[in-house]
Amino acid sequence: LHLSEMEEGATNETPTPCLNDEERFNNVLKNVRANTKEAAEAAGEIAVDSVHKEMLYGYHDLHGRPPHTEIADTDALYDSISADVKKVSQNAYTVSVGTPLKYGKYVHDGYDQPAGLKFQDKDGNWYTTKGGHIQGRPFLRDGIMNASDELYDALGERWKEGL
């Protein structure tokens, strides 16, 4: 706040010095930088939650055929979904959402395979999938797309806090 003149009846206190445009800009930039990482972390949490919802509820057939089961048969894939926030430059972060489990891509994209695919759950038990065509259930893509408005709002709110 810049006060160039004292109003009538005001005290004789010294007015608060005016921040010049450069100082104001630097303060805003500092706050936005600090909030950028928080915004990326918030986006990661929202994305993981949305992917989890998609895995549990998103794959029921709408064309009268029996519904697919949720993608949480052993919980290993569900539990492995995480977000990783990495700083890529002074003012930028990336958020990667996914799973380190090898079979996750087959569940996500589907596959054609004459022999079954073997995988191990988090407890060390081995499973073999049935061979043939398995319909993909793109839980990562769909979960993130379903949360796009919420992600956009969360990022905007975090960045506004820096202004």
Side-chain angles (χ1 to χ4, degrees):
L1 176 64
H2 182 71
L3 300 174
S4 59
E5 298 178 8
M6 298 289 287
E7 291 183 17
E8 188 175 325
T11 64
N12 288 333
E13 295 177 16
T14 306
T16 305
C18 177
L19 290 176
N20 66 35
D21 288 341
E22 184 177 345
E23 289 174 291
R24 193 171 333 175
F25 174 78
N26 287 334
N27 285 338
V28 168
L29 186 58
K30 179 181 169 187
N31 289 334
V32 169
R33 283 180 183 157
N35 290 344
T36 298
K37 183 176 182 184
E38 291 177 21
E41 290 168 345
E45 290 173 17
I46 291 167
V48 168
D49 287 345
S50 184
V51 168
H52 281 158
K53 287 176 191 169
E54 192 68 25
M55 292 175 83
L56 292 175
Y57 309 114
Y59 294 96
H60 297 284
D61 196 311
L62 302 177
H63 304 290
R65 295 188 298 266
H68 293 292
T69 59
E70 69 275 0
I71 308 173
D73 295 335
T74 67
D75 290 335
L77 184 58
Y78 181 93
D79 291 343
S80 74
I81 303 299
S82 64
D84 183 34
V85 176
K86 289 187 179 173
K87 189 173 187 173
V88 293
S89 71
Q90 182 179 0
N91 301 321
Y93 291 83
T94 62
V95 181
S96 299
V97 178
T99 176
L101 298 179
K102 181 180 178 181
Y103 72 92
K105 71 178 185 174
Y106 298 107
V107 175
H108 190 273
D109 299 336
Y111 68 96
D112 289 308
Q113 186 171 326
L117 174 70
K118 293 185 179 200
F119 66 92
Q120 189 175 24
D121 69 12
K122 66 181 178 181
D123 297 322
N125 300 313
W126 284 93
Y127 297 89
T128 303
T129 61
K130 295 177 182 176
H133 176 73
I134 300 297
Q135 179 72 33
R137 295 180 275 180
F139 54 92
L140 290 168
R141 182 200 67 200
D142 294 348
I144 291 169
M145 292 303 293
N146 288 340
S148 61
D149 289 340
E150 188 179 356
L151 288 166
Y152 182 80
D153 291 344
L155 290 171
E157 287 302 314
R158 289 292 199 283
W159 282 322
K160 280 185 201 174
E161 289 171 8
L163 300 178

